[in-house]
Amino acid sequence: ESTLGAAAAQSGRYFGTAIAASRLSNSTYTTIAAREFNMITAENEMKPDALQPNRGQFNFSSGDQIYNWATQRGLQVRGHTLAWHAQQPGWMQSLNGSALRQAMIEHINGVLAHYKGKIGAWDVVNEAFNEDGSRRSSNLQGTGNDWIEVAFRTARAADPAVKLCYNDYNIENWSYGKTQGVYNMIRDFKSRGVPIDCVGLQTHFTGGSSLPGNFQTTLSSFAALGVDVALTEVDVTNSSTTQYAGLTQACLNVPRCIGITVWGVRDSDSWRASENPLLFDGNGNKKAAYTSVLNAL
Ligand code: XIL
């Protein structure tokens, strides 16, 4: 196959990228994005601060710009993200307790009502754990330890058809406290019937040539709990070809690994631009890592 999306589709998977609305006027960028990828995540435009800048006033203009750009080109869209300690609007940052709990519920209801039937999967909760596997302290965590399951139950009720994901970084190494913390939460949710369909592993890799320990075991272990897994925000310091090939192969080896998304198009578009972590260079040329991924798919 000649594109990442088409190659991934051969095994029933997708290959996606994050897109920024501010770059949609750049034709080099849009040409690559529309040609190579078949799943789109809004890099920032569907986060809480973007969608509800004032309490009770939703603004879907940038989110819809991404959504429309993608779907007009036949690309699917992942939703990112409904509840997160970061990128909250100012009014939400200053809330706590039952008022924040209520605001979280209203935010989820408002966003899912707008995108109902349009978006296949949402990152319902993002980055809720510390590196040691305990819960990250935040204003959301301060509303009570059940805030995550309340977010998932709210989302299921608002849109019974949409897939509900938990998303985090540094949950790739199986022998890591955070991985185990998230794993135990998913296992608990499954045992108690809390609705959850998928786990997103952000997969922001740094340096070296080998993958985090037992990466594929992590994917298969989550999958064995009865959830899909996806690599949701992939970037790799200096685009190590062995790491890119390895993470692609690991996903392909796990039947419930449903797709891979890189966190941007060209190195110059990346939030880690100085690390040159993506599959296209600043001029839009395919890098060696592109070929290593394509060959692995
Ligand atoms: C990043 C964006 O890429 C930046 O443009 C923004 O300034 C900060 O957020 N984990 C996530 C993503 O879940 O939403 C983050 O995206 C990167 C880390």
Side-chain angles (χ1 to χ4, degrees):
E1 290 293 338
S2 55
T3 70
L4 299 169
Q10 294 178 113
S11 68
R13 295 177 173 83
Y14 62 80
F15 208 101
T17 187
I19 288 289
S22 62
R23 298 187 196 277
L24 290 178
S25 56
N26 180 305
S27 64
T28 304
Y29 178 85
T30 54
T31 298
I32 297 169
R35 182 188 71 219
E36 295 290 339
F37 302 100
N38 49 18
M39 181 67 78
I40 297 296
T41 306
E43 187 174 0
N44 290 294
E45 293 80 354
M46 296 189 190
K47 292 172 179 176
D49 58 349
L51 294 187
Q52 198 180 172
N54 300 297
R55 186 163 192 183
Q57 293 182 351
F58 288 86
N59 182 345
F60 294 104
S61 56
S62 299
D64 285 352
Q65 197 185 341
I66 302 275
Y67 178 83
N68 291 333
W69 182 88
T71 54
Q72 285 162 4
R73 286 158 183 78
L75 319 179
Q76 294 182 267
V77 179
R78 285 192 91 247
H80 176 76
T81 178
L82 297 173
W84 190 20
H85 68 275
Q87 290 182 268
Q88 296 180 359
W91 64 266
M92 190 182 284
Q93 292 174 35
S94 61
L95 290 183
N96 54 45
S98 58
L100 176 62
R101 177 64 66 89
Q102 187 59 29
M104 179 189 83
I105 291 168
E106 289 169 4
H107 185 77
I108 292 170
N109 284 335
V111 174
L112 289 189
H114 181 80
Y115 286 112
K116 198 168 191 168
K118 297 181 163 183
I119 285 182
W122 271 97
D123 293 331
V124 177
V125 170
N126 197 33
E127 302 181 347
F129 280 78
N130 290 317
E131 301 305 295
D132 68 359
S134 61
R135 290 289 188 88
R136 179 197 291 270
S137 67
S138 69
N139 61 345
L140 288 163
Q141 181 64 27
T143 69
N145 205 50
D146 64 343
W147 73 276
I148 299 180
E149 66 186 85
V150 169
F152 277 87
R153 291 188 200 278
T154 301
R156 177 67 94 227
D159 183 352
V162 77
K163 300 286 188 205
L164 308 177
C165 306
Y166 176 80
N167 193 56
D168 215 329
Y169 64 94
N170 287 352
I171 57 167
E172 293 87 14
N173 186 327
W174 180 242
S175 312
Y176 195 59
K178 191 174 185 177
T179 308
Q180 293 301 311
V182 172
Y183 178 83
N184 288 332
M185 178 185 74
I186 307 297
R187 189 175 54 183
D188 171 56
F189 279 13
K190 280 294 183 185
S191 73
R192 291 190 295 113
V194 178
I196 185 163
D197 305 301
C198 33
V199 174
L201 295 89
Q202 292 185 9
T203 318
H204 295 295
F205 284 169
T206 49
S209 55
S210 55
L211 297 177
N214 301 312
F215 179 62
Q216 189 179 311
T217 298
T218 304
L219 298 179
S220 58
S221 298
F222 277 122
L225 294 176
V227 290
D228 290 335
V229 295
L231 313 187
T232 53
E233 305 183 10
V234 177
D235 47 25
V236 178
T237 307
N238 295 319
S239 296
S240 158
T241 53
T242 50
Q243 283 198 323
Y244 261 114
L247 68 89
T248 304
Q249 190 60 57
C251 181
L252 288 187
N253 286 347
V254 175
R256 290 197 80 157
C257 185
I258 61 174
I260 300 172
T261 295
V262 289
W263 203 241
V265 178
R266 301 163 299 184
D267 286 336
S268 51
D269 302 314
S270 171
W271 72 312
R272 299 169 62 190
S274 66
E275 297 176 70
N276 300 311
L278 296 174
L279 300 178
F280 294 85
D281 69 20
N283 294 319
N285 296 312
K286 294 170 181 172
K287 295 166 61 178
Y290 172 96
T291 307
S292 73
V293 169
L294 188 67
N295 289 343
L297 284 170

Coordinates of all heavy atoms in Angstrom, one line a residue, residues 192-240:
R192 N -17.3 -4.2 37.9 CA -18.5 -3.5 38.5 C -19.5 -3.0 37.5 O -20.5 -2.4 37.8 CB -18.1 -2.4 39.4 CG -17.4 -2.9 40.7 CD -17.2 -1.8 41.7 NE -16.3 -0.7 41.3 CZ -16.7 0.5 41.0 NH1 -17.9 0.9 41.2 NH2 -15.8 1.4 40.6
G193 N -19.2 -3.2 36.2 CA -20.1 -2.7 35.2 C -20.1 -1.2 34.9 O -21.0 -0.7 34.3
V194 N -19.0 -0.6 35.3 CA -18.8 0.8 34.9 C -18.5 0.8 33.4 O -17.6 0.1 32.9 CB -17.7 1.5 35.7 CG1 -17.5 2.9 35.2 CG2 -17.9 1.4 37.2
P195 N -19.2 1.6 32.6 CA -19.1 1.5 31.1 C -17.7 2.1 30.7 O -17.4 3.2 30.9 CB -20.2 2.4 30.6 CG -20.6 3.3 31.7 CD -20.3 2.6 33.0
I196 N -16.9 1.2 30.1 CA -15.6 1.7 29.4 C -15.3 0.7 28.3 O -15.5 -0.5 28.4 CB -14.5 1.7 30.5 CG1 -13.2 2.3 29.8 CG2 -14.2 0.3 31.1 CD1 -12.2 2.7 30.8
D197 N -14.9 1.3 27.2 CA -14.7 0.5 26.0 C -13.3 0.4 25.5 O -13.0 -0.4 24.6 CB -15.6 1.1 24.8 CG -17.1 1.2 25.2 OD1 -17.7 0.2 25.5 OD2 -17.6 2.3 25.2
C198 N -12.5 1.3 25.9 CA -11.2 1.4 25.3 C -10.2 2.2 26.2 O -10.6 3.0 27.0 CB -11.2 2.1 23.9 SG -12.5 3.4 23.8
V199 N -8.9 1.8 26.0 CA -7.8 2.5 26.6 C -6.9 3.1 25.6 O -6.5 2.4 24.6 CB -7.0 1.6 27.5 CG1 -5.8 2.3 28.1 CG2 -7.9 1.0 28.7
G200 N -6.6 4.4 25.7 CA -5.7 5.0 24.8 C -4.3 5.2 25.5 O -4.2 5.7 26.6
L201 N -3.3 4.6 24.8 CA -1.9 4.8 25.3 C -1.3 5.9 24.5 O -1.2 5.8 23.2 CB -1.1 3.5 25.2 CG -1.6 2.3 26.0 CD1 -2.7 1.5 25.3 CD2 -0.5 1.4 26.4
Q202 N -1.0 7.0 25.1 CA -0.5 8.2 24.3 C 0.7 7.9 23.5 O 0.9 8.3 22.4 CB -0.3 9.4 25.3 CG -1.6 9.9 25.8 CD -1.4 11.2 26.7 OE1 -0.3 11.8 26.7 NE2 -2.5 11.6 27.4
T203 N 1.7 7.1 24.1 CA 2.9 6.7 23.4 C 3.7 7.8 23.0 O 4.2 8.0 21.8 CB 2.4 5.8 22.2 OG1 1.4 4.9 22.6 CG2 3.6 5.0 21.6
H204 N 4.0 8.7 23.9 CA 5.0 9.8 23.7 C 6.4 9.2 24.2 O 6.7 9.1 25.3 CB 4.7 11.0 24.6 CG 3.4 11.7 24.2 ND1 3.3 12.3 23.0 CD2 2.3 11.9 24.9 CE1 2.1 12.9 22.9 NE2 1.4 12.6 24.0
F205 N 7.1 8.7 23.2 CA 8.4 8.0 23.5 C 9.6 8.9 23.4 O 9.6 9.8 22.6 CB 8.6 6.8 22.6 CG 7.7 5.6 22.9 CD1 7.6 4.5 21.9 CD2 7.0 5.5 24.0 CE1 6.8 3.4 22.2 CE2 6.2 4.4 24.3 CZ 6.1 3.4 23.4
T206 N 10.5 8.6 24.3 CA 11.8 9.4 24.3 C 13.0 8.5 24.1 O 13.1 7.4 24.6 CB 12.0 10.1 25.7 OG1 11.8 9.1 26.7 CG2 11.0 11.2 25.9
G207 N 13.8 8.9 23.2 CA 15.2 8.4 23.0 C 15.3 6.9 22.8 O 14.3 6.2 22.8
G208 N 16.5 6.4 22.6 CA 16.8 5.0 22.6 C 16.3 4.3 21.4 O 15.7 4.9 20.5
S209 N 16.5 3.0 21.4 CA 16.1 2.3 20.2 C 15.1 1.2 20.6 O 14.5 0.6 19.7 CB 17.3 1.6 19.5 OG 18.1 0.9 20.5
S210 N 14.9 0.9 21.8 CA 14.0 -0.1 22.2 C 12.7 0.4 22.8 O 12.7 1.6 23.3 CB 14.7 -1.1 23.2 OG 15.2 -0.4 24.3
L211 N 11.7 -0.3 22.8 CA 10.4 0.1 23.3 C 10.4 0.0 24.9 O 11.2 -0.8 25.4 CB 9.3 -0.8 22.8 CG 9.1 -0.8 21.3 CD1 8.0 -1.8 20.9 CD2 8.7 0.6 20.8
P212 N 9.5 0.7 25.5 CA 9.4 0.5 27.0 C 9.1 -1.0 27.2 O 8.5 -1.7 26.4 CB 8.1 1.3 27.3 CG 8.1 2.4 26.3 CD 8.6 1.7 25.0
G213 N 9.6 -1.5 28.4 CA 9.5 -2.9 28.7 C 8.2 -3.6 28.5 O 7.2 -3.1 29.0
N214 N 8.2 -4.6 27.7 CA 7.0 -5.4 27.5 C 5.8 -4.6 27.0 O 4.6 -4.8 27.5 CB 6.6 -6.1 28.8 CG 7.7 -7.0 29.3 OD1 8.2 -7.8 28.5 ND2 8.1 -6.9 30.6
F215 N 6.0 -3.7 26.1 CA 5.0 -2.9 25.5 C 3.8 -3.7 25.0 O 2.7 -3.4 25.3 CB 5.6 -2.0 24.4 CG 4.6 -1.1 23.8 CD1 3.9 -0.1 24.5 CD2 4.4 -1.2 22.4 CE1 3.0 0.8 23.9 CE2 3.5 -0.3 21.8 CZ 2.8 0.7 22.5
Q216 N 4.2 -4.7 24.2 CA 3.1 -5.6 23.7 C 2.3 -6.3 24.7 O 1.1 -6.5 24.6 CB 3.7 -6.6 22.7 CG 2.6 -7.3 21.9 CD 3.1 -8.2 20.9 OE1 4.0 -7.9 20.1 NE2 2.6 -9.5 20.9
T217 N 3.0 -6.7 25.8 CA 2.3 -7.3 26.9 C 1.3 -6.3 27.6 O 0.2 -6.7 28.0 CB 3.3 -7.8 28.0 OG1 4.1 -8.7 27.4 CG2 2.6 -8.4 29.2
T218 N 1.6 -5.1 27.6 CA 0.7 -4.1 28.2 C -0.5 -4.0 27.3 O -1.7 -4.0 27.8 CB 1.4 -2.7 28.2 OG1 2.6 -2.8 29.0 CG2 0.4 -1.6 28.8
L219 N -0.3 -4.0 26.0 CA -1.5 -3.9 25.1 C -2.4 -5.1 25.2 O -3.6 -5.0 25.3 CB -1.0 -3.8 23.6 CG -0.2 -2.5 23.2 CD1 0.2 -2.6 21.8 CD2 -0.9 -1.3 23.5
S220 N -1.8 -6.3 25.2 CA -2.6 -7.5 25.3 C -3.2 -7.7 26.7 O -4.3 -8.2 26.8 CB -1.7 -8.7 24.9 OG -0.6 -8.9 25.8
S221 N -2.6 -7.2 27.7 CA -3.1 -7.3 29.0 C -4.4 -6.4 29.2 O -5.4 -6.8 29.8 CB -2.1 -6.9 30.1 OG -1.0 -7.8 30.0
F222 N -4.3 -5.2 28.7 CA -5.5 -4.3 28.7 C -6.6 -5.0 27.9 O -7.7 -5.1 28.3 CB -5.2 -2.9 28.2 CG -4.6 -2.0 29.2 CD1 -3.3 -1.4 28.9 CD2 -5.2 -1.6 30.3 CE1 -2.8 -0.5 29.8 CE2 -4.7 -0.7 31.2 CZ -3.5 -0.2 31.0
A223 N -6.2 -5.5 26.7 CA -7.2 -6.0 25.8 C -7.9 -7.2 26.5 O -9.1 -7.4 26.3 CB -6.5 -6.5 24.5
A224 N -7.1 -8.0 27.3 CA -7.7 -9.2 27.9 C -8.8 -8.8 29.0 O -9.6 -9.6 29.4 CB -6.6 -10.0 28.6
L225 N -8.8 -7.5 29.4 CA -9.9 -7.1 30.3 C -11.2 -6.8 29.5 O -12.2 -6.6 30.2 CB -9.4 -5.8 31.0 CG -8.2 -5.9 31.9 CD1 -7.9 -4.5 32.5 CD2 -8.6 -6.8 33.1
G226 N -11.1 -6.9 28.2 CA -12.3 -6.7 27.4 C -12.5 -5.3 26.9 O -13.6 -4.8 26.7
V227 N -11.4 -4.6 26.7 CA -11.4 -3.2 26.1 C -10.6 -3.2 24.8 O -9.6 -4.0 24.7 CB -10.9 -2.1 27.1 CG1 -11.9 -1.9 28.2 CG2 -9.5 -2.5 27.6
D228 N -10.9 -2.3 23.9 CA -10.0 -2.1 22.8 C -8.8 -1.2 23.3 O -9.0 -0.5 24.3 CB -10.7 -1.3 21.7 CG -11.7 -2.2 20.9 OD1 -11.6 -3.4 20.9 OD2 -12.7 -1.6 20.4
V229 N -7.7 -1.3 22.6 CA -6.6 -0.4 22.9 C -6.2 0.4 21.6 O -6.5 -0.1 20.5 CB -5.4 -1.1 23.5 CG1 -5.7 -1.7 24.8 CG2 -4.9 -2.2 22.5
A230 N -5.7 1.6 21.8 CA -5.2 2.4 20.7 C -4.0 3.2 21.1 O -3.9 3.5 22.3 CB -6.3 3.3 20.2
L231 N -3.1 3.4 20.2 CA -2.0 4.3 20.4 C -2.4 5.7 19.9 O -2.7 5.9 18.7 CB -0.8 3.8 19.7 CG -0.5 2.3 19.8 CD1 0.9 2.0 19.2 CD2 -0.5 1.9 21.2
T232 N -2.6 6.6 20.8 CA -3.4 7.8 20.5 C -2.6 9.1 20.2 O -3.2 10.0 19.7 CB -4.4 8.1 21.7 OG1 -3.6 8.1 22.9 CG2 -5.4 7.0 21.8
E233 N -1.4 9.2 20.7 CA -0.6 10.5 20.5 C 0.8 10.2 20.2 O 1.7 10.8 20.8 CB -0.8 11.3 21.8 CG -2.2 11.6 22.2 CD -2.3 12.5 23.4 OE1 -1.3 13.1 23.8 OE2 -3.4 12.6 24.0
V234 N 1.1 9.3 19.3 CA 2.5 8.8 19.1 C 3.4 9.9 18.6 O 3.1 10.6 17.7 CB 2.5 7.6 18.1 CG1 4.0 7.2 17.9 CG2 1.6 6.5 18.6
D235 N 4.5 10.1 19.3 CA 5.7 10.8 18.8 C 6.9 10.2 19.5 O 6.8 9.7 20.6 CB 5.6 12.3 18.9 CG 5.1 12.8 20.3 OD1 5.3 12.1 21.3 OD2 4.6 13.9 20.3
V236 N 8.1 10.2 18.8 CA 9.3 9.5 19.3 C 10.5 10.4 19.1 O 10.7 10.9 17.9 CB 9.5 8.2 18.5 CG1 10.8 7.5 18.9 CG2 8.3 7.3 18.6
T237 N 11.2 10.7 20.1 CA 12.4 11.5 20.0 C 13.3 11.1 18.8 O 13.7 10.0 18.7 CB 13.3 11.4 21.3 OG1 12.4 11.7 22.4 CG2 14.4 12.4 21.3
N238 N 13.5 12.1 18.0 CA 14.3 11.9 16.7 C 13.8 10.7 15.9 O 14.5 10.2 15.0 CB 15.8 11.6 17.1 CG 16.4 12.9 17.7 OD1 16.1 14.0 17.3 ND2 17.2 12.7 18.8
S239 N 12.5 10.4 16.0 CA 11.9 9.4 15.2 C 12.7 8.1 15.0 O 12.9 7.7 13.9 CB 11.6 10.0 13.8 OG 10.7 11.1 13.9
S240 N 13.1 7.6 16.1 CA 13.8 6.3 16.1 C 13.0 5.3 15.2 O 11.9 5.0 15.5 CB 13.9 5.8 17.5 OG 14.1 4.4 17.5

